Amino acid sequence: MQNPNEDTEWNDILRSKGIIPPKEKELTEDDVVNIVESTIKEKQSNGKQLEDCSLDELDELEDEEDERVLLELREKRIAELRAEAAKAKYREVREISAVDYVDEVNKAGSGVWVILHLYKQGIPLCALINQHLNELAQKFPATKFLKSVSTTCIPNYPDRNLPTIFVYYEGELKIQFVGPLEFRGPNLSVDDLEWMLGQTGAIPSQITEDPRPKPRDALLSALNQQDDW
């Protein structure tokens, strides 16, 4: 096949008809010099052209640029830490009454998740959940954890509905867990509760799969234990 870049009369005819593309222009040494000089002239620093800088001055400019980038990153990180610190202000489970409800829940503020536990003394599962919530409040300080004696917060609230957890976001009820069956009975672990609350979005839990074994897995585990006997 004939080279389309060759300078032949036949190729010139083909180019004029648009059958083959125009001949690629080869860069000369002068072309390269002109491109480099044009690029250098476009980049200036403090009114001084880069081609006029010495090697030491170029190194200094590089150091200054690195320092500027590091300073920007530092300031950005400080801003992020301040924002996180502003949110991470709860760190405990606070007791409230009906009088506090509007301010603590409905007016919690923009971007605030609230977890409210209704409980009663003398109910073991309520006591267990309060224990787990104390741990989770420390782990997720940006979430507001509250608790209230059920009949103090809601008059005549039935004991059969205990324990109850209400999850709010920006004052709006998102989900509720009502009664012992919702909490998987007396063997509820702190990981179980964290996973449940993490599914609502109220806490940024890293537990993405249900920590409680599936029935089939539990059965296999029991059979394996019998074999060990």
Side-chain angles (χ1 to χ4, degrees), residues 98-156:
V99 176
D100 307 314
Y101 185 88
V102 172
D103 287 336
E104 295 291 343
V105 178
N106 297 121
K107 297 182 179 179
S110 176
V112 177
W113 285 93
V114 177
I115 295 172
L116 172 61
H117 177 215
L118 300 185
Y119 73 99
K120 251 189 180 180
Q121 300 289 348
I123 299 180
L125 187 53
C126 287
L128 179 64
I129 288 175
N130 276 333
Q131 178 182 330
H132 291 339
L133 291 180
N134 285 330
E135 184 174 337
L136 295 177
Q138 291 288 326
K139 187 174 182 179
F140 304 103
T143 299
K144 180 186 283 191
F145 287 84
L146 304 172
K147 64 180 180 180
S148 180
V149 174
S150 57
T151 51
T152 299
C153 189
I154 304 175
N156 302 318

Side-chain angles (χ1 to χ4, degrees), residues 19-196:
I19 297 175
I20 64 175
K23 181 182 177 183
E24 296 178 358
K25 181 182 177 182
E26 296 180 0
L27 288 178
T28 65
E29 185 177 348
D30 290 339
D31 291 332
V32 174
V33 172
N34 289 334
I35 292 173
V36 173
E37 289 181 349
S38 176
T39 303
I40 291 175
K41 288 178 181 178
E42 289 177 358
K43 296 183 179 181
Q44 297 183 357
S45 177
N46 297 325
K48 185 175 183 179
Q49 294 183 341
L50 294 180
E51 69 266 25
D52 296 329
C53 294
S54 65
L55 290 177
D56 291 338
E57 287 173 329
L58 290 174
D59 288 340
E60 184 178 349
L61 287 174
E62 184 177 356
D63 292 340
E64 290 177 357
E65 180 67 15
D66 290 343
E67 184 177 353
R68 183 185 64 79
V69 171
L70 290 174
L71 183 60
E72 289 180 356
L73 291 175
R74 178 177 178 274
E75 292 176 348
K76 181 179 179 181
R77 183 55 180 154
I78 289 175
E80 290 173 350
L81 291 174
R82 286 176 177 170
E84 290 174 5
K87 291 181 178 179
K89 59 184 178 181
Y90 301 111
R91 297 184 182 278
E92 62 179 354
V93 183
R94 295 182 55 241
E95 184 91 27
I96 67 169
S97 65
V99 176
D100 307 314
Y101 185 88
V102 172
D103 287 336
E104 295 291 343
V105 178
N106 297 121
K107 297 182 179 179
S110 176
V112 177
W113 285 93
V114 177
I115 295 172
L116 172 61
H117 177 215
L118 300 185
Y119 73 99
K120 251 189 180 180
Q121 300 289 348
I123 299 180
L125 187 53
C126 287
L128 179 64
I129 288 175
N130 276 333
Q131 178 182 330
H132 291 339
L133 291 180
N134 285 330
E135 184 174 337
L136 295 177
Q138 291 288 326
K139 187 174 182 179
F140 304 103
T143 299
K144 180 186 283 191
F145 287 84
L146 304 172
K147 64 180 180 180
S148 180
V149 174
S150 57
T151 51
T152 299
C153 189
I154 304 175
N156 302 318
Y157 194 76
D159 288 354
R160 66 176 179 274
N161 288 347
L162 300 179
T164 291
I165 284 183
F166 295 132
V167 178
Y168 296 83
Y169 180 67
E170 296 184 342
E172 181 181 346
L173 180 62
K174 293 298 183 182
I175 196 168
Q176 54 188 352
F177 302 94
V178 179
L181 292 180
E182 290 276 7
F183 296 96
R184 306 176 166 199
N187 295 322
L188 179 76
S189 70
V190 66
D191 284 345
D192 289 336
L193 186 56
E194 178 179 334
W195 178 77
M196 291 170 61

